[in-house]
Amino acid sequence: MGKPPAHKAIITAAVTGAIHTPTMSPYLPITPTQLIDDIMSVYEVGGAVAHLHVRDPETGMPKADQAIFREVAAEVKKRCDIILCMTTGGSIGDTVENRAKVVSTLEPELASLNAGSINFALFHVAPKFEGQWKFDWEKKYLTGTEDFIFPNTFYTIGKFTELMGRYATKPEFEIYDVGMINNLAYLIQSGQVQKPVYLQFVMGILGGIPATVENLVYLVQTARQQIGEFQWSVCAAGRAQFPMTTQALLMGGNARVGLEDNLFIEKGTLAKNSGEQVAKLKRIAGELGVATATPAEARQILGLKGLDKVNF
Ligand code: KMH
Ligand code: ZN
């Protein structure tokens, strides 16, 4: 392996997630075909990583179905070399065992690893869609989060790190608040996690840290103090998406966009796919003089095992 390229930003797109529901946008990808098309839209405009959740194709409900994960991943692999970052966050209320399965079945290069428990709240957006629901499950799924804790205890995190270690899957640590940096520092100190680590700062979730420039600087500084060297990316919920990802590019970090985090391309206009958002961020990066990484370069930067070593 040669020297990694200097100063190239990795653009990730989280194409569907488990937060938004079909009523919120007709463009939210649901079926395997829609997910594949969305990932290809990301690849075609220069995204290096696609973060993947899957859904029930009939109802659009987020569901960690291993056959669908495989169908989407295998088809994308046939068509291009984009890096797939599989979710182990799953969906609201999913069991830890079910969330973990995608690692042992697909042995991906990269997977999310949520670095602590939080109140993961979506109930506050439900009233906006009253009377418009396309599917019965949507309202309950969102309102139920008023009493939901997204569980990622030290025991659970330990299980995930062990599992990802077994399959040489690199964890992308999802950091929703500053205390989770402390969790990760402990995991490194106790030898459960090896450096270099890759952090995804997830900002603006109700229950997590607000999406502000000051908070991003604080997160990065705190991680430097606690962990030393590390690699990082930022994503932010809703309208904070482009301000925070732009800020990340300015700070020398990496950035994630995609319909998992934000359904819009600009105020009042829904994005037609995640590729539109990647293209916008690429334009911003270009204006700022920030080069972006190809999938091959991102593999090198993150030290991934390679597409020939996945099981799909
Ligand atoms: N499912 C959400 C509660 C991840 O992909 O790892 C959190 C989530 C994070 O989507
Ligand atoms: Zn996710």
Side-chain angles (χ1 to χ4, degrees), residues 6 26 41 64 106 121 169-170 196 259 292:
S41 79
L106 296 190
T169 297
K170 175 127 181 164
L259 302 191
T292 55

Side-chain angles (χ1 to χ4, degrees), residues 17-19 51 53 87-92 112-114 120 148 150 174 176 256 260:
I19 293 174
H51 169 70
H53 294 241
T87 182
T88 67
S91 56
I92 302 294
S112 63
L113 203 167
N114 292 274
F120 201 108
F148 174 63
F150 182 32
E174 313 297 302
Y176 298 86
R256 171 175 121 176
E260 171 166 348

Side-chain angles (χ1 to χ4, degrees), residues 155-297:
Y155 178 80
T156 297
I157 295 170
K159 289 282 169 209
F160 279 127
T161 54
E162 201 183 292
L163 183 70
M164 291 192 200
R166 204 179 311 151
Y167 295 101
T169 297
K170 175 127 181 164
E172 177 191 284
F173 289 98
E174 313 297 302
I175 307 284
Y176 298 86
D177 213 332
V178 74
M180 294 190 195
I181 296 170
N182 211 15
N183 298 352
L184 184 52
Y186 166 75
L187 294 165
I188 294 168
Q189 267 165 29
S190 60
Q192 291 175 73
V193 168
Q194 270 70 49
K195 290 188 2 173
V197 283
Y198 183 41
L199 279 61
Q200 183 76 255
F201 296 120
V202 185
M203 305 186 78
I205 297 285
L206 182 57
I209 199 164
T212 67
V213 169
E214 291 86 346
N215 283 343
L216 180 55
V217 171
Y218 177 52
L219 286 167
V220 173
Q221 279 176 345
T222 304
R224 258 190 212 124
Q225 285 160 4
Q226 297 280 306
I227 295 171
E229 284 297 300
F230 61 97
Q231 289 165 313
W232 61 279
S233 175
V234 170
C235 64
R239 73 180 62 138
Q241 181 179 67
F242 284 103
M244 297 314 300
T245 50
T246 302
Q247 180 65 23
L249 296 180
L250 286 169
M251 288 170 65
N254 305 292
R256 171 175 121 176
V257 290
L259 302 191
E260 171 166 348
D261 305 327
N262 174 30
L263 293 169
F264 292 83
I265 188 68
E266 59 186 22
K267 196 170 188 297
T269 309
L270 289 167
K272 298 215 166 44
N273 55 40
S274 292
E276 273 195 358
Q277 295 178 339
V278 171
K280 177 168 171 171
L281 194 63
K282 284 269 290 185
R283 287 197 299 275
I284 294 170
E287 290 293 327
L288 297 172
V290 176
T292 55
T294 63
E297 288 167 336

